[in-house]
Each structure stands twice: as structure tokens, then as C-alpha cells.
Amino acid sequence: MRIGVPTEIKTDEYRVALTPAGVRELVDNGHEVLVQTGAGVGSAIPDAEYVEQGAEIVADAAAVFAGADMIVKVKEPQPSEVALLEPRHILFTYLHLAPATELTQGLIDSGATCIAYETVTDTRGRLPLLAPMSEVAGKIATQAGAFMLEKPLGGRGILLGGVPGVAAANVMVIGGGVVGMNAAFIAIGMEATVYVYDRNIDRLRELDIAFGGRADTCYASTLDIEKRLPDVDLVIGAVLVHGAKAPYVIRREQLKLMKRGAVIVDVSIDQGGCFETSRPTTHSDPTYEVDGVTHYCVANMPGAVPITSTYALTNATLPYVLHLADAGVERASRENPGLAKGVNVVDGKCTYAPVAEATGQEYTELFDALGAAA
Ligand SMILES: NC(=O)c1ccc[n+]([C@@H]2O[C@H](COP(=O)([O-])OP(=O)(O)OC[C@H]3O[C@@H](n4cnc5c(N)ncnc54)[C@H](O)[C@@H]3O)[C@@H](O)[C@H]2O)c1
């Protein structure tokens, strides 16, 4: 198969979907790799390192799409990239289609087979291609929140860890999955007082063991969250309902319960946001204020640390890229039911039920769609 790697064009995105190690594995398995010139530069990977492992460098995205059967990317395709997709293409990237009706329609109209990193599951139902970026985003969330609490940045002016004789800040993490646990670990490391809320009791049990008494675990009822809001300095929203738009865990009217200059970080913004007042922001302009509360809602947080993120992401995606290249979508999906869960769009049909429901598209069973496409 010919695998194409375009340069990411979304604002402030410096990651790349394949490293020279990935090129080496694909070429050793008999595949060809086309890399757009400069695709790796944001992650400190020059073209020459790809060439050394057997990739061909091409001039622009149009040449990548024209020459490749499978396009591997990081972020969802931008309109100029959707325009380059053809029915023969496999697109393998983050898509986050549930809150994106226009993009979903664009991918359906393209006729391409579109596989979303974030809905691929492993044998335990976890999300192996979201996890590495969630680890990064969780760690950044606390770091960014701590920074935004500083007075010159519009924050309350409180130090997360306090000092001897002065109390630490209170950090509330809502959603104790991969993002939430990593956010909590950094907050614990910074010596804040930390509360982690989730609705899954088994998850709360796991977290309780992992924290070893250094953070409190709490059931995420609306009332309990509301009661804690007047005391918190930093709230990190990290809930996820797989493949669906994030539920609101803080409503607009609840913001007035919070202290002026408190900070909320909505990591779930890529699934539509879990605070009612959230809207996506970028690293160049990451915050805005509503009712005296600073909102940090950067939709591609791991993009800020591309060297860490590119390697963390590609370590996780490469086995799937190889499987798809070796076996094609249909056989790879039959051999790995978790990979099958990643296939969101085939031949003009939506094959992932939560996205179909959220975007008002008709749902078609994956193998029916693949059968019709064959
Ligand atoms: N902004 C970014 O750059 C960025 C980067 C990585 C991940 N994310 C997003 O962060 C979110 C969390 O990802 P994750 O990998 O931690 O997911 P995860 O599945 O590991 O964890 C989500 C947790 O939310 C809990 N949850 C669901 N509904 C809840 C509710 N109403 N109240 C409290 N808890 C609830 C679940 O029980 C689960 O423990 C996702 O939306 C993901 O897309 C964003």
C-alpha cells in the first residue's frame, strides 16, 4: 500500500502522524511512504531522516493525496484536505465527529473510508489511541491552570501548592479517566488539595488505590459538584462518553457560585466541551472570561509539546497503520474488532452509531457498508 503523510495545517499544530521509525517498519513490510516536505519539522524531524528510512518526499498535500491510498494524519481534515479525499482513500486520524456535523457530511460526501483514532478500542474497551494524548493533555491541563491562576494572567493570584503556613489551592477534576488521573497526579505533585469526581464507582476505586490517600475521590452528582464549587480555585473538566458529545457538568448559572479569578480548563472541548460556557480556543489565544471565571479551552493541547506528543502518538498508532496497510480495512476490521470500532465512515455511510445519532446521519452496520463498497 502507498501511505501518505501530509503536513498538519490546523492552527498551532506541530505534530506529525509518522516518524522515521514508522517509515522503516512500513518499508520493511513492503509498503511505500510519501511524506510532504517539512511535515516533521514542527516535531524536530527533518525530511532527510524520513528519506534515510526509505520515504519519498513530495512537494505538497495535493501530491500526498494523489499518490497515496491511505492518508495518516493527526488532526481532523481541514476543508482544503476534505476536498482532496476520494472514494479510494483510507483516512486514519483523529476525527471527533460527534460535535462536527459539517465535517461528518464532508467525509460522507467524499466517499472515503474514514477511521477515527479516538473510537478505536482495545480488548478491555479502553481507547488506546486517545490514551497517549490524554496523558499529555492531562499533564498540561494542571500546568496551564496553575499558570492562568497567576494575577498578571487574570487569575486569582494563588499558588497551587501554597507555602508553609499558607493553604494550598483547591483543584477539582471532573472525570477521572486518563486525562483526569494525569491532571490529578500533576496537581498532587504541585502539592495542591485535589478532589477527583467520576460517576463510575469502579473507576473511583482504582483511583483511590492509585492516589494512596493523596487526593479525595468523589461521586460526580450535580449536587456534590455544586457544593464544592465555591471553594475551588481550578476546575479541570475531563469527562468522556465514548464517541458522543460531552455532557455538561457545570452550567452557566453555576459559574456565579465560583470565586472571581478562578480558572476552568475544559479538556473535553474536543468533544464539544463539558462546561456550558466553553468554546474552543487556540494556543495563541487560549483563554477568555465569563462571569469572572477564566476559561481555558484549547482543543489540541498536546500540540503545544509536539516532540513528546508525536512520539507518544505514533508509538500507539503504528501497529494499526501496519495492520491496515498489510490487510486492508475489511480484513483488519474482522481480525481486530477494536479497530473495527474506529471505522466511522465508509462509502458515503456513517458506520459508528454514536456519531450517526449525534450528527443526524443514518447508521449503517460496518460490514454491510464494507460489503456494499467492495
Ligand atoms: N483538548 C485536548 O487537547 C484533549 C486531548 C486529549 C483528550 N481530550 C479529551 O479529554 C476527554 C477525556 O479523555 P480521557 O481519555 O480521559 O477519557 P476516559 O474515557 O479515560 O475518561 C473519561 C471519564 O469520564 C467519566 N465520566 C463520564 N461522564 C461523566 C460525568 N457526567 N461526570 C463525571 N465523570 C464522567 C468516565 O467515567 C471516565 O472515567 C475526552 O473528551 C478527550 O477527547 C482532549
Side-chain angles (χ1 to χ4, degrees):
M1 196 181 274
R2 286 164 70 87
I3 294 96
V5 185
T7 305
E8 292 299 317
I9 53 174
K10 193 165 178 178
T11 314
D12 292 330
E13 183 54 68
Y14 303 104
R15 289 171 290 178
V16 59
L18 200 68
T19 63
V23 173
R24 174 66 172 273
E25 300 280 331
L26 285 163
V27 169
D28 282 356
N29 274 26
H31 304 292
E32 291 172 48
V33 182
L34 304 177
V35 177
Q36 184 177 347
T37 183
V41 167
S43 298
I45 307 171
D47 287 354
E49 289 189 20
Y50 287 110
V51 173
E52 270 167 37
Q53 302 309 323
E56 181 189 336
I57 302 295
V58 298
D60 52 25
V64 172
F65 280 70
D69 310 301
M70 172 159 60
I71 308 294
V72 289
K73 273 181 51 60
V74 178
K75 290 310 284 186
E76 71 280 3
Q78 303 303 296
S80 64
E81 295 171 317
V82 175
L84 294 172
L85 281 171
E86 297 173 32
R88 64 185 181 85
H89 280 133
I90 302 166
L91 172 68
F92 192 35
T93 189
Y94 286 118
L95 289 173
H96 297 290
L97 293 181
T101 42
E102 210 172 299
L103 175 59
T104 306
Q105 189 62 55
L107 296 182
I108 284 175
D109 293 344
S110 77
T113 299
C114 305
I115 311 175
Y117 290 161
E118 74 278 2
T119 65
V120 171
T121 59
D122 65 13
T123 48
R124 289 179 53 191
R126 295 172 307 189
L127 305 172
L129 303 187
L130 194 58
M133 293 306 96
S134 292
E135 288 161 352
V136 173
K139 291 188 172 188
I140 294 178
T142 307
Q143 215 169 272
F147 190 46
M148 294 305 164
L149 277 170
E150 291 178 13
K151 197 75 179 167
L153 278 285
R156 296 192 65 227
I158 186 168
L159 182 63
L160 224 55
V163 291
V166 182
N170 291 318
V171 177
M172 172 192 251
V173 180
I174 309 177
V178 181
V179 168
M181 186 171 82
N182 280 275
F185 273 132
I186 296 300
I188 291 167
M190 292 171 98
E191 302 186 340
T193 303
V194 184
Y195 305 92
V196 181
Y197 287 73
D198 205 291
R199 290 201 165 190
N200 179 333
I201 307 278
D202 284 331
R203 182 59 182 163
L204 290 174
R205 288 194 180 103
E206 288 171 2
L207 291 171
D208 200 51
I209 293 167
F211 295 147
R214 292 173 297 157
D216 279 349
T217 53
C218 314
Y219 186 76
S221 71
T222 305
L223 181 60
D224 284 306
I225 290 173
E226 203 167 281
K227 277 186 174 163
R228 181 83 62 191
L229 282 179
D231 298 326
V232 296
D233 302 287
L234 170 61
V235 182
I236 294 170
V239 305
L240 175 65
V241 177
H242 290 192
K245 191 187 169 309
Y248 289 143
V249 292
I250 298 184
R251 296 270 174 188
R252 172 148 201 166
E253 64 268 21
Q254 293 171 315
L255 283 187
K256 61 177 177 294
L257 300 171
M258 298 182 68
K259 297 169 186 165
R260 301 308 83 182
V263 173
I264 62 181
V265 176
D266 193 341
V267 188
S268 303
I269 191 67
D270 59 349
Q271 291 291 122
C274 65
F275 308 134
E276 192 177 11
T277 44
S278 297
R279 57 172 167 80
T281 61
T282 61
H283 287 292
S284 358
D285 190 11
T287 59
Y288 60 94
E289 188 229 287
V290 179
D291 294 345
V293 174
T294 303
H295 289 50
Y296 177 103
C297 308
V298 175
N300 61 337
M301 293 168 70
V305 290
I307 295 176
T308 306
S309 299
T310 285
Y311 289 95
L313 176 64
T314 56
N315 285 344
T317 53
L318 183 60
Y320 295 91
V321 174
L322 272 169
H323 194 182
L324 285 165
D326 288 344
V329 177
E330 179 157 13
R331 184 151 70 84
S333 299
R334 288 194 193 280
E335 288 171 355
N336 183 346
L339 175 57
K341 289 229 166 59
V343 187
N344 279 219
V345 174
V346 174
D347 187 29
K349 303 172 187 76
C350 183
T351 53
Y352 189 71
V355 165
E357 196 181 322
T359 58
Q361 297 286 346
E362 194 182 326
Y363 167 70
T364 305
E365 200 277 327
L366 172 62
F367 291 104
D368 290 347
L370 285 169

